[in-house]
Amino acid sequence: MTIRILLADDQTLLRASFRVLIDATPGMTVIGEAANGHEAIELTRAHHPDVVLMDIRMPGTDGLAATTAICADPDLSDVRVLILTTFENDEYVAQALRAGASGFLGKGATPETLLDGIKTVAAGDSLLSPTATRALITRFLAAPDPSSAVSLEGVDTLTQREREIVALVGSGKSNVDIAEMLVVSPLTVRSHVQRAMGKLAARDRAQLVVIAYQSGLTAVGPRP
């Protein structure tokens, strides 16, 4: 199955670079380009891509507003938004996740990381880069946001292995990292993560990170 991707970035040269990279990758194709958030919303409604690769800072309607509109549209419930930006700070991470983004990568990511990120969110998983994960944790430790509060009900129902894996997710480890640490397959880790998310009613991996440290499963240092 081919992953259909919409590019949303105000830099024409950057969009062209992404298009060349993606179109040269088997199983992926670019189905449209948007230069601002408004175009991204309209093209998403018109073409229904699998993934929208969304820049945050764009003229007029920015990427955060466009992400909010796309994720709030019930007709686009299966569209995933992957945020790609130069500004990988805690405020943008928190806003993007509240808007409904499925993933967040810095523009300094390697081509391989970007392509893997597209595959990850297209498969229905959430993706946070290590920098974004640290930023998210830092933000919630410094000033918890009531609008992003999560329920800790269900923590006691986790198996020992699930608790261990949730703790590692909270520390910013990817499924591949966790698999290597626990000497199991990434597919096994993914299954444990999905079961834990179901028990904890976590919408995505970002909420799982928050639950991990709010419940004490992930040890945290002093507040910043």
Side-chain angles (χ1 to χ4, degrees), residues 48-147:
H48 211 102
D50 299 305
V51 176
V52 179
L53 193 59
M54 183 82 74
D55 186 25
I56 283 185
R57 287 194 172 183
M58 292 186 288
T61 303
D62 65 14
L64 292 174
T67 298
T68 300
I70 291 169
C71 294
D73 189 334
D75 292 332
L76 302 175
S77 60
D78 56 346
V79 175
R80 301 288 178 258
V81 178
L82 175 58
I83 299 289
L84 188 66
T85 180
T86 305
F87 308 96
E88 198 171 1
N89 60 47
D90 59 346
E91 179 62 29
Y92 285 134
V93 172
Q95 288 186 44
L97 295 175
R98 285 199 297 270
S102 296
F104 197 108
L105 285 175
K107 284 187 176 177
T110 64
E112 292 77 13
T113 299
L114 173 60
L115 296 174
D116 286 344
I118 292 172
K119 293 175 184 177
T120 296
V121 298
D125 292 332
S126 294
L127 174 74
L128 289 174
S129 67
T131 301
T133 301
R134 288 193 297 271
L136 177 67
I137 294 173
T138 298
R139 179 175 179 79
F140 277 91
L141 284 175
D145 187 342
S147 68

Side-chain angles (χ1 to χ4, degrees), residues 16 66 93 150 200 214 217:
V93 172
V150 295
L200 298 171
Q214 286 190 342
L217 291 177

